[in-house]
Amino acid sequence: GVFVSYRVLPGDVVSPVLVYQVWSLVILLPLSMSVGNLVKADVRRQVESSILRGECSGLWGLLDMVCDVVVPLDESLAIVDLSERFAALVTMQGGSMRGAKLQDYMPDATDQQALEKWAHGPGCDLPGDLAAALPPCTLRVKLRDCLGNRLSVDLFCVGVHTLVQ
């Protein structure tokens, strides 16, 4: 805090302008410091947001190089963004599949249930020999392609926090 102290001696005349200036200093100095702190916090948030966007972009690029198909999903396992490779695989057409559920492309109900359990649970629930053969946090399911073929795929989850603008 800011403390202003002055002493009026007997016989001194205090100018009203001096009192006004002192009170202005007492009120405006903390106010301007608060505004400065708010501006600094906003700038810091913008910089951190920019850094996080760059990191997420790098993560998506890495996933795109390593995986055949990258499908961003929300908490309900619905597709939230354009996934042209997945659309081409399951519909033989490009384009957006926003809102489609990943489970809709799984012909086996057991795979659909396993996906729900896996995505909302602590991890894979696989038999010991199969779990040992796969990397952590993977799930092997069957997907139906555009020709009706059943494809055995390994799914793995990468949690990415999105930024709310």
Side-chain angles (χ1 to χ4, degrees), residues 72-74 78-82 97-100:
L73 304 174
D74 64 10
I79 299 171
V80 295
D81 204 358
L82 178 67
M97 296 185 67
R98 262 186 205 113

Side-chain angles (χ1 to χ4, degrees), residues 11-82:
D12 285 347
V13 176
V14 178
S15 164
V17 174
L18 177 63
V19 172
Y20 173 75
Q21 288 178 346
V22 168
W23 279 111
S24 296
L25 178 68
V26 167
I27 292 171
L28 292 178
L29 189 60
L31 184 63
S32 66
M33 290 172 58
S34 296
V35 169
N37 288 338
L38 288 174
V39 169
K40 285 179 192 175
D42 187 51
V43 168
R44 181 178 299 122
R45 184 190 56 77
Q46 289 177 4
V47 168
E48 289 172 352
S49 174
S50 175
I51 290 169
L52 185 57
R53 262 191 215 91
E55 289 175 355
C56 287
S57 176
L59 176 63
W60 284 113
L62 179 63
L63 285 172
D64 203 38
M65 286 189 303
V66 172
C67 301
D68 295 322
V69 176
V70 177
V71 182
L73 304 174
D74 64 10
E75 296 81 22
S76 67
L77 303 178
I79 299 171
V80 295
D81 204 358
L82 178 67

Side-chain angles (χ1 to χ4, degrees), residues 93-114:
Q93 302 170 11
S96 177
M97 296 185 67
R98 262 186 205 113
K101 297 269 191 175
L102 184 60
Q103 302 92 304
D104 295 342
Y105 301 98
M106 294 180 179
D108 299 332
T110 55
D111 284 346
Q112 294 173 7
Q113 292 168 354

